[in-house]
Amino acid sequence: MAVDPNALSGTYYLAHFEALLGAVKGRYGDLFSEQENQCLDDFAALPLDGRALYTRFLSRRGQCFREDKLAYPELDLPLAIAALKEAGFITPMAPEQALLLPLLTKAEIAALFNLDKRLARPAMVEAALKLPYRAPPFALWQMQHEALMRRCLLLYFGNAYQDLSEFVITALEHVRYEPYPLDSQSRYYQSRAHLERHFALSELAQTLDACPDHALVALAERWPAGDDNRWQRLTLQLARRLERSANLPLALAFYQRLTLPPARERKVRLIAKTAGQEAAWQALAPILKAPQDASEQDFIDVFAKRLASKLGHSLPQLPVSSVSEQQRPLPQGSERVEQKALGYFDAGMHSENQLLTGLFGLLFWDIVFSPVPGAFFHPFQRGPKDLFSQGFYEKRQGLIEARLKEIEQGWQERAKATFAAKAGIANDLVYWPLWRAEHLALAGHIPGHHLALWFRHFLKDPRHHRSGFPDLLVVDGGHYQLVEVKGPGDRLQPGQKRWLRFLARHHLPVSVLHLK
């Protein structure tokens, strides 16, 4: 995308932050305490330079800052510091060595504590920590109310990995997003208790990330209870780290508390290691009876099949389906094998998963961006929060079923209209560099009832079924076909096998082309 060098100027970052605060207060102000709302009002009453400097502080690491290192030519720094100090947004501090030393250069540490400047920094820091505190020759400031401001960032984005840079990317690269309502009716958090739970789990995630392996057991002993998906995902991370650090009994104890995949798979694998194969077979029973998603079915196909063979047990048989396979010579040249394979057909495109997801995105665009409560947190989303979860279908079932019936009768006109109206707008499902008018015309050979079958399979498990789709869409003699291409030494992956099995079972035109 073209970059506009003039998109950012002056205190643009403050404008971004104030837009964020306004949105958060508009959606969640009724859930804030009186003290929190007063703090946000006090921030808004600061002079521009004070608000801008505080925003700069938020974009930096740590809570302590050296006044002599502040260099923001667009600001009146003495005025800003005085305003922030008077309003209580920063306070002067004389930190302990542990907080001070990271702010100093090696030469400054040597001079301040009279240490040999030839020492390596780690040795110098270790020595300085044992000496009495020495005040540095510059002012140090500590941020106040940072927790509230960080919570506002978390409320706005709904996660801990996005920040104000999203505004910058949008301004510089001219990214366009689909508009959708962001009001109190569609918000995710509906109570203060819900807010506090989210904050607590976010802090727990940061604690886990920073926790060294030797402290994992202590963290596990004070691990909170829960059962929601966010808690389960965090607990899975803890269990996996315990497993990798060879604490198998404790890891197994956590896996047994979880239902979110791959907890049941990991539990069976650990039981096989610790209690033997027969015990693992018994633990497999719930997965064999009802696999929760495609990853558990893959686990059955590989691990369970091997275990059953060793123990002499039988497995539930998947429906038998055969996929047409053919071999052709591998053409010379430096192109990818998929591009070489296209030469064997009248017309075609190398699309892989983008064919499935792209057509779904075009045909369900309005449903994807419908204002389902909790789906959207901020204006920079390429799709709803639950897009690749099984809950996506459940929350929009009526709309989706009606659209699937429409697609069965004909889909090309809707796809063309969406393509024309939405081209270039960010959408997690549509990879715009692939889609051109001729590619949409090529896809037009696919009957609607075939597309509906694809989409129903995709919606059963969007997280796993969005990958593994055949490499090529080709047209020969006016009829379409999906082709999975395999070069020398290349084998089918589990996700590819799933899609080939499904397509063949429904007698849809699919084949595997081996280039030898």
Side-chain angles (χ1 to χ4, degrees), residues 81 130 154 171 174 205 219 253 266 338 346 458 465 490:
I81 290 171
K130 298 175 182 178
L154 189 62
H174 302 292
L219 178 60
R266 298 311 311 170
E338 295 87 356
D346 293 344
F458 168 69
H465 291 169
D490 194 7

Side-chain angles (χ1 to χ4, degrees), residues 352-411:
E352 296 191 28
N353 306 307
Q354 281 76 31
L355 177 64
L356 168 74
T357 60
L359 289 177
F360 187 92
L362 290 174
L363 292 169
F364 290 82
W365 190 288
D366 55 327
I367 298 174
V368 167
F369 290 102
S370 59
V372 172
F376 297 99
F377 285 80
H378 55 85
F380 309 118
Q381 289 182 229
R382 298 168 184 267
K385 179 182 176 66
D386 61 350
L387 179 57
F388 295 113
S389 75
Q390 292 169 329
F392 176 80
Y393 172 80
E394 295 167 3
K395 293 180 180 179
R396 304 159 181 83
Q397 183 174 353
L399 294 172
I400 290 173
E401 287 298 330
R403 185 61 48 82
L404 286 169
K405 290 179 181 178
E406 175 191 312
I407 289 169
E408 289 176 352
Q409 301 304 313
W411 61 270

Side-chain angles (χ1 to χ4, degrees), residues 260-277:
L260 196 70
R264 298 199 301 176
E265 172 190 337
R266 298 311 311 170
K267 180 178 74 173
V268 171
R269 290 183 184 275
L270 284 190
I271 290 174
K273 287 182 180 180
T274 58
Q277 294 179 341

Side-chain angles (χ1 to χ4, degrees), residues 111-221:
L112 190 62
F113 291 92
N114 298 318
L115 295 171
D116 186 347
K117 63 182 180 182
R118 292 172 297 181
L119 287 173
R121 184 180 179 96
M124 192 178 289
V125 168
E126 183 180 358
L129 287 171
K130 298 175 182 178
L131 297 173
Y133 175 73
R134 297 287 300 275
F138 46 76
L140 278 172
W141 299 98
Q142 183 174 20
M143 293 177 63
Q144 302 299 318
H145 310 302
E146 184 198 24
L148 173 60
M149 298 303 181
R150 299 274 181 215
R151 284 185 167 198
C152 287
L153 285 168
L154 189 62
L155 282 174
Y156 185 80
F157 290 110
N159 58 67
Y161 59 84
Q162 286 180 292
D163 54 32
L164 292 173
S165 63
E166 294 290 344
F167 290 89
V168 177
I169 292 169
T170 302
L172 285 178
E173 299 186 356
H174 302 292
V175 179
R176 293 187 296 135
Y177 295 91
E178 180 71 12
Y180 35 78
L182 292 169
D183 50 33
S184 57
Q185 283 71 40
S186 62
R187 69 188 185 185
Y188 180 67
Y189 308 103
Q190 296 296 332
S191 68
R192 180 71 190 202
H194 196 184
L195 280 182
E196 292 298 336
R197 177 66 173 169
H198 184 88
F199 295 148
L201 290 177
S202 295
E203 290 172 359
L204 185 63
Q206 294 176 8
T207 301
L208 178 59
D209 286 344
C211 184
D213 285 349
H214 65 81
L216 283 173
V217 173
L219 178 60
E221 288 174 350

